[in-house]
Amino acid sequence: MTIDADRLDALLHPAFDPDADYDVLAHGVAASPGAARGEVVFTAPEAVEAGEAGRDVILVRPFTEADDVAGFHAARGILTSEGGKASHAALVARGMGRPCVVGASDLHVDLDAETASVGDTTIGKGDVIAIDGSNGQITLDDVPLVEAQVSEAFETVLGWADDVRRLGVRANADAPGDARRARELGAEGVGLCRTEHMFMAADRQPKMRAMILAEDHDDRRAALDELLPLQQRDFQGLFEAMEGLPVTIRLLDPPLHEFLPPVDSLPEGSSERETAEALQETNPMLGTRGVRLGIIAPEIYEMQVRAIARAAQAVDGAPHVEIMVPLVDYEKELEIVGAQIVRVAEEEGLSDYSLGTMIELPRACLVADRIAQHADFFSFGTNDLTQTGLGFSRDDVEGSFLDDYLEAKILTRSPFETIDEPGVGQLVRMGAWLGRKARADLKLGICGEHGGDPESIDFFHRSGLDYVSCSPFRVPIARVAAAQAAIRNG
Amino acid sequence: MTIDADRLDALLHPAFDPDADYDVLAHGVAASPGAARGEVVFTAPEAVEAGEAGRDVILVRPFTEADDVAGFHAARGILTSEGGKASHAALVARGMGRPCVVGASDLHVDLDAETASVGDTTIGKGDVIAIDGSNGQITLDDVPLVEAQVSEAFETVLGWADDVRRLGVRANADAPGDARRARELGAEGVGLCRTEHMFMAADRQPKMRAMILAEDHDDRRAALDELLPLQQRDFQGLFEAMEGLPVTIRLLDPPLHEFLPPVDSLPEGSSERETAEALQETNPMLGTRGVRLGIIAPEIYEMQVRAIARAAQAVDGAPHVEIMVPLVDYEKELEIVGAQIVRVAEEEGLSDYSLGTMIELPRACLVADRIAQHADFFSFGTNDLTQTGLGFSRDDVEGSFLDDYLEAKILTRSPFETIDEPGVGQLVRMGAWLGRKARADLKLGICGEHGGDPESIDFFHRSGLDYVSCSPFRVPIARVAAAQAAIRNG
């Protein structure tokens, strides 16, 4: 109980050698722990290209957006001049376990000139920098990095924690490497595989775009047919890495325009541009995504379920597959899409799987008893539930009024870091209670960012959830925090 | 009980003479009742200019956005080729009582060419058309319009309704003309005055923009000082029109970028453009608006409260002023902004007013007992509560998946028309119950679009609310529906 679980994180990542002598060029917010060194690149495609060529790069941006996620995969670390701990860059980097420093406000990033400068010092593309996401330092010096060392004492503590805790601990992982790392750190399954990350890889994007921009049904099917074997291979990798432990796969969630190039980059008057324009949304967070896509374009989920079923049967052993439908509001949505999943699974000869849903909208929490009639499990998506429950767009409020709110003591921490117990937490409790009322054996988990936050884990323990799922690097923290929650609450 | 309250609406507006002979050019969705005739214009500024010159115009667009609202004020009617009953055009037009036909899909609107065509017929700028928003008809013929006739029988029925109903009926009105019309139709007060509409008038926009783009504190104060007398005059007009009946004034709600010209139209590299870019939001619905603006830029609400206080003291009689803070999530927000309101009101010598809040976010409903400690009244903003509770962006889902949802019977009506009782309605009930638990004399109203929908009014009656507020033209409907709810539920 004397361990500060939150601070364990730093032990699990490389760091600047504390004994080394180096000059700190600038400081930022320590957004995702670990140290990294590499050549500076200023765009995600450059990071991807360099990554494919085996070069270590640091992606430097004023701030990041959904389009940049492929660059996070490829880079060793991420550095931004704007934003705080709840910025897009910080959240995505933490989710992936990538070292990240954000809000380095002394750093002026000029994307046109491809330079980043601090006072008189100018860094160009290809210059080598090092960042330490555990302390927010940035340096041009050749400081040695020391590897993470999981000591025997630490392993002992984790063993004690496992004896005590009631909550299961899973990891959010989209790739076999992440899944393996999560298992090494003690994850008992994958609680969230975000299939959209698979479509964002450089070789997938053109196929995904062809699918979205397809002018007719046949074109769309053809594009999906090309994606199917790739998805299948992704899932096989995950199942193999997890060796029979449960793997929760979320069907496609984001709005389709996230996969398209910017409208301005498409030729004026082209049908591609027209489609892209028609898909633009005023509030994409509240638009055509999740199960809504599953209803209006059922062929996408059909392809994904087929890929899951084939992958499950292609690997040795018996993978435990959990198919998860995102953004459900109405029980009827899950009924319709669920029937399709059952049909496709049957066609493919897959019988051993479970079918569940994300609970990530206030309405879903309030009618969870109805939804539970079509679900084997719920996974609370507390990121989106925070966005809708509070009316906070994560992309917009951070760097805007959130800082003022902390200063005025309206908030003590960002609600994206620690769950807002009176509001969002109450929705989770209602959803859990109503779900179990309708179906006593309903499995309950949580796969938002909060799954790796000790204070939130305490709340999930008290709310009777079965497991938390967090980024692989936070699994040890979650194990300790879950044990502490069990002790604290008896 | 045999009256279909919803159909009363058509009686209260002009219509095409049913005995006249005319050719229907095209049909659209009957989005806001009433008939109108005028010259075609294709942009809101043209509508404003024509309106100022005393010409009758019909604003024709593929669809409308926040920028077009000034054009709604100026035009006699609105016609769009896209969208349905929940589109922006339909909602704004209904709110203002402007005749409106939307989704006339045979109509091809070419904004560049300034033409609208149906088959071989091309309509140019300045051509005269007539629309009937009660039946969705569009014609080029000179069909006579017959005026609304409120018969004696109808007045008798409304009198009976008033004897029976428990719910009060107010109107949403932003201008003296609307307020007077609402009173004529029986409104017992203004339940929602949206102060932002005042800033959208052509003569206010430049001042508002100067305020937003101000580079320093002094510039901003100077711009606000110019807006103050204009706001004061607006409020005076409203108070005079309402002759002592309660008037609920909502302080500024929308994000500031809604008042700015499109970023692309500002000179590259200018500080205006930089400010406008910095204010862009990914999900404006969930961004820096409502009380969040009140916290980070307190001078705006200060100016508004000063204008309210001066207006209240400048008119004869004793206006009953209710100052309403939008988008509250945390009791502390209302505590901070409330203290400022009290201070400014005291400075201005205003003592007879009440202070309340919109309840329009799920969190606010869940912690309504805490919020009630700082509020004299709650007004449920069920439009935004529907957007956040369901995760539906009104601007995006209509014309997208909503139609598929109706077809698949996931929905039976748009949740923006009739309140979603199991989800959003449950939030309203919780908010009402918790609010009254903390403060027994808390006044409870509702000012969303649902305030004029008979089925929703029945729900608000059952939930124990004190009043509904709807667009002026729906006041008679609400009176009848409230009476029917009282009879139906005993």
Side-chain angles (χ1 to χ4, degrees):
Chain A
M1 293 303 287
T2 60
I3 296 173
D4 180 352
D6 239 341
R7 305 205 56 182
L8 296 177
D9 211 10
L11 297 178
L12 296 159
H13 298 271
F16 287 174
D17 182 346
D19 299 328
D21 213 22
Y22 58 92
D23 287 329
V24 174
L25 175 71
H27 266 100
V29 176
S32 176
R37 181 187 298 109
E39 298 168 26
V40 168
V41 293
F42 291 103
T43 70
E46 283 173 320
V48 170
E49 200 182 305
E52 280 165 2
R55 280 151 51 212
D56 294 340
V57 294
I58 306 290
L59 176 60
V60 180
R61 305 275 308 164
F63 56 89
T64 65
E65 295 178 294
D67 277 354
D68 300 316
V69 170
F72 281 64
H73 280 289
R76 309 290 291 185
I78 290 89
L79 169 61
T80 72
S81 54
E82 301 173 15
K85 278 207 165 188
S87 63
H88 178 266
L91 289 164
V92 174
R94 273 205 297 281
M96 289 187 190
R98 285 288 176 290
C100 178
V101 173
V102 299
S105 51
D106 289 342
L107 190 76
H108 179 75
V109 180
D110 184 335
L111 292 177
D112 293 329
E114 299 195 309
T115 59
S117 50
V118 178
D120 294 339
T121 310
T122 299
I123 307 165
K125 193 163 84 166
D127 291 350
V128 174
I129 62 168
I131 62 170
D132 189 336
S134 306
N135 60 23
Q137 292 180 346
I138 305 157
T139 183
L140 292 172
D141 290 354
D142 189 22
V143 54
L145 309 187
V146 292
E147 277 308 306
Q149 296 186 344
V150 177
S151 66
E152 208 177 309
F154 188 35
E155 288 291 0
T156 306
V157 168
L158 289 172
W160 293 340
D162 291 344
D163 291 341
V164 173
R165 67 186 163 90
R166 185 188 54 68
L167 277 173
V169 177
R170 297 192 185 185
N172 301 342
D174 313 327
D178 292 339
R180 265 190 299 275
R181 167 48 65 115
R183 282 202 55 199
E184 284 164 24
L185 294 171
E188 298 155 324
V190 167
L192 176 64
C193 161
R194 285 161 291 217
T195 53
E196 60 269 23
H197 285 180
M198 300 171 174
F199 295 128
M200 287 182 174
D203 58 326
R204 315 291 172 83
Q205 278 206 358
K207 295 185 174 66
M208 188 66 182
R209 289 178 180 177
M211 190 280 281
I212 297 167
L213 298 172
E215 289 187 40
D216 60 36
H217 195 72
D218 288 345
D219 275 6
R220 171 162 290 185
R221 290 243 166 231
L224 282 164
D225 284 347
E226 284 198 50
L227 285 166
L228 195 151
L230 302 172
Q231 279 258 290
Q232 181 181 338
R233 201 189 312 148
D234 293 328
F235 294 139
Q236 265 174 251
L238 263 188
F239 294 151
E240 277 160 7
M242 294 310 288
E243 295 179 26
L245 291 175
V247 176
T248 311
I249 296 171
R250 177 175 75 185
L251 300 180
L252 192 70
D253 184 42
L256 296 181
H257 51 77
E258 280 200 12
F259 301 95
L260 295 182
V263 169
D264 294 343
S265 71
L266 293 167
E268 194 102 38
S270 64
S271 70
E272 281 88 354
R273 183 161 176 148
E274 264 178 42
T275 308
E277 275 172 358
L279 289 173
Q280 291 300 303
E281 297 185 304
T282 311
N283 298 290
M285 171 67 211
L286 310 175
T288 303
R289 43 174 293 238
V291 69
R292 302 165 191 176
L293 282 175
I295 298 282
I296 67 171
E299 55 273 19
I300 301 175
Y301 282 7
E302 179 174 336
M303 178 280 282
Q304 293 196 293
V305 175
R306 229 174 265 291
I308 292 168
R310 292 182 188 176
Q313 293 169 91
V315 300
D316 292 334
H320 180 67
V321 183
E322 302 176 336
I323 300 176
M324 181 159 74
V325 180
L327 213 74
V328 165
D329 247 333
Y330 300 92
E331 65 271 25
K332 182 102 185 177
E333 293 170 318
L334 192 57
E335 193 186 329
I336 293 172
V337 170
Q340 182 197 19
I341 293 170
V342 168
R343 176 179 60 74
V344 175
E346 254 174 37
E347 283 171 18
E348 296 290 335
L350 179 74
S351 56
D352 183 23
Y353 67 98
S354 54
L355 196 164
T357 178
M358 295 275 282
I359 299 287
E360 52 188 334
L361 292 169
R363 189 186 201 274
C365 296
L366 296 164
V367 301
D369 48 344
R370 301 178 181 198
I371 293 172
Q373 290 171 4
H374 306 280
D376 302 317
F377 65 90
F378 283 174
S379 182
F380 289 94
T382 54
N383 294 347
D384 280 7
L385 197 57
T386 299
Q387 299 202 72
T388 47
L390 305 187
F392 279 12
S393 163
R394 187 206 278 174
D395 293 328
D396 297 310
V397 304
E398 169 65 26
S400 172
F401 66 84
L402 220 50
D403 293 340
D404 301 84
Y405 270 42
L406 292 166
E407 204 172 301
K409 305 231 184 313
I410 296 169
L411 293 171
T412 53
R413 281 182 76 176
S414 162
F416 294 107
E417 272 180 59
T418 298
I419 196 161
D420 163 51
E421 197 173 323
V424 179
Q426 204 177 150
L427 288 168
V428 170
R429 273 185 190 270
M430 268 186 232
W433 181 77
L434 286 170
R436 284 257 174 78
K437 201 180 78 161
R439 183 165 173 173
D441 66 344
L442 189 73
K443 195 175 207 169
L444 299 174
I446 174 268
C447 61
E449 200 69 17
H450 304 105
D453 170 66
E455 202 176 318
S456 308
I457 290 170
D458 190 87
F459 168 75
F460 298 130
H461 173 92
R462 285 182 278 120
S463 303
L465 267 49
D466 295 307
Y467 68 88
V468 297
S469 187
C470 56
S471 74
F473 285 91
R474 293 191 78 83
V475 165
I477 298 170
R479 289 161 69 191
V480 171
Q484 291 175 332
I487 295 168
R488 196 176 294 121
N489 302 290
Chain B
M1 292 303 286
T2 59
I3 296 174
D4 181 351
D6 238 342
R7 304 205 57 181
L8 296 178
D9 211 11
L11 296 180
L12 296 160
H13 298 272
F16 287 175
D17 182 347
D19 300 328
D21 214 21
Y22 57 93
D23 287 328
V24 174
L25 175 71
H27 266 101
V29 177
S32 176
R37 180 187 300 110
E39 297 169 27
V40 168
V41 293
F42 291 103
T43 70
E46 284 173 319
V48 171
E49 201 182 306
E52 281 165 1
R55 280 152 51 212
D56 292 340
V57 294
I58 306 289
L59 176 62
V60 180
R61 306 275 307 165
F63 56 90
T64 65
E65 295 177 294
D67 277 354
D68 301 316
V69 170
F72 281 64
H73 280 289
R76 309 291 291 187
I78 291 90
L79 169 62
T80 72
S81 55
E82 300 173 15
K85 278 208 166 190
S87 63
H88 178 266
L91 289 165
V92 174
R94 272 206 298 282
M96 289 186 191
R98 285 288 176 288
C100 178
V101 174
V102 299
S105 51
D106 289 341
L107 190 76
H108 179 74
V109 180
D110 185 334
L111 292 178
D112 292 329
E114 300 195 307
T115 59
S117 50
V118 178
D120 294 338
T121 309
T122 298
I123 307 164
K125 193 163 84 167
D127 291 350
V128 173
I129 62 168
I131 62 170
D132 189 336
S134 306
N135 59 23
Q137 292 179 347
I138 305 158
T139 183
L140 291 172
D141 290 354
D142 189 22
V143 54
L145 308 187
V146 292
E147 277 307 306
Q149 295 185 344
V150 178
S151 66
E152 208 176 310
F154 188 36
E155 289 290 359
T156 305
V157 169
L158 289 173
W160 294 341
D162 291 344
D163 290 342
V164 173
R165 68 187 162 89
R166 185 189 54 69
L167 277 173
V169 177
R170 296 192 185 185
N172 301 343
D174 313 327
D178 292 339
R180 265 190 298 274
R181 167 47 66 114
R183 282 202 56 199
E184 284 164 23
L185 295 172
E188 297 155 326
V190 168
L192 176 64
C193 162
R194 285 160 290 216
T195 53
E196 60 269 22
H197 285 180
M198 300 171 175
F199 295 128
M200 287 181 173
D203 58 327
R204 315 292 171 84
Q205 278 207 358
K207 295 184 174 66
M208 188 67 181
R209 289 179 181 176
M211 190 279 282
I212 297 167
L213 298 172
E215 290 187 38
D216 60 35
H217 194 73
D218 288 345
D219 275 6
R220 173 163 289 185
R221 290 244 167 229
L224 282 165
D225 284 348
E226 285 198 49
L227 285 166
L228 196 151
L230 301 172
Q231 279 258 291
Q232 180 181 338
R233 201 189 313 150
D234 292 328
F235 295 140
Q236 267 175 247
L238 263 188
F239 294 151
E240 276 161 7
M242 295 310 288
E243 294 179 26
L245 291 176
V247 176
T248 311
I249 295 170
R250 177 175 75 186
L251 300 180
L252 192 71
D253 184 42
L256 296 181
H257 51 77
E258 280 202 11
F259 301 96
L260 295 182
V263 169
D264 294 343
S265 72
L266 292 168
E268 195 103 38
S270 65
S271 69
E272 282 87 355
R273 183 161 176 148
E274 265 178 41
T275 307
E277 275 173 357
L279 288 173
Q280 290 301 302
E281 296 185 303
T282 310
N283 299 291
M285 171 66 212
L286 310 174
T288 303
R289 45 175 291 238
V291 69
R292 302 164 191 178
L293 282 175
I295 299 284
I296 67 171
E299 55 273 20
I300 302 176
Y301 282 7
E302 179 175 335
M303 179 279 282
Q304 293 197 293
V305 175
R306 230 174 265 290
I308 292 168
R310 292 182 188 177
Q313 293 170 91
V315 300
D316 292 334
H320 180 66
V321 183
E322 302 177 335
I323 300 175
M324 181 158 75
V325 179
L327 212 74
V328 165
D329 247 332
Y330 301 91
E331 64 272 24
K332 183 101 184 177
E333 293 170 317
L334 192 57
E335 192 187 330
I336 293 172
V337 170
Q340 183 197 18
I341 293 170
V342 168
R343 177 180 59 75
V344 176
E346 253 172 38
E347 283 172 19
E348 297 290 335
L350 179 74
S351 55
D352 184 23
Y353 66 98
S354 54
L355 197 164
T357 178
M358 296 275 283
I359 299 287
E360 52 188 335
L361 292 169
R363 188 187 203 272
C365 296
L366 296 164
V367 300
D369 48 345
R370 301 177 181 200
I371 294 173
Q373 289 170 5
H374 306 280
D376 302 317
F377 65 90
F378 282 175
S379 181
F380 289 94
T382 54
N383 294 347
D384 280 7
L385 197 57
T386 299
Q387 299 201 72
T388 48
L390 306 186
F392 279 13
S393 163
R394 187 206 280 176
D395 293 327
D396 298 309
V397 305
E398 168 67 24
S400 172
F401 66 84
L402 219 51
D403 293 341
D404 301 84
Y405 270 43
L406 291 166
E407 203 172 302
K409 305 232 185 312
I410 296 168
L411 293 171
T412 54
R413 280 182 76 177
S414 162
F416 293 107
E417 272 180 59
T418 298
I419 195 160
D420 163 51
E421 196 171 325
V424 178
Q426 205 177 149
L427 288 169
V428 170
R429 272 185 191 271
M430 269 188 232
W433 182 76
L434 286 170
R436 284 257 173 79
K437 201 180 77 160
R439 182 165 173 171
D441 66 343
L442 189 73
K443 194 175 210 171
L444 298 175
I446 173 267
C447 62
E449 200 69 17
H450 302 106
D453 170 66
E455 204 176 316
S456 308
I457 290 169
D458 190 88
F459 167 75
F460 298 129
H461 173 93
R462 285 183 278 119
S463 303
L465 267 49
D466 295 308
Y467 68 88
V468 297
S469 187
C470 56
S471 74
F473 284 92
R474 293 191 78 84
V475 165
I477 298 171
R479 289 161 70 191
V480 171
Q484 291 175 334
I487 295 167
R488 197 176 294 120
N489 301 289

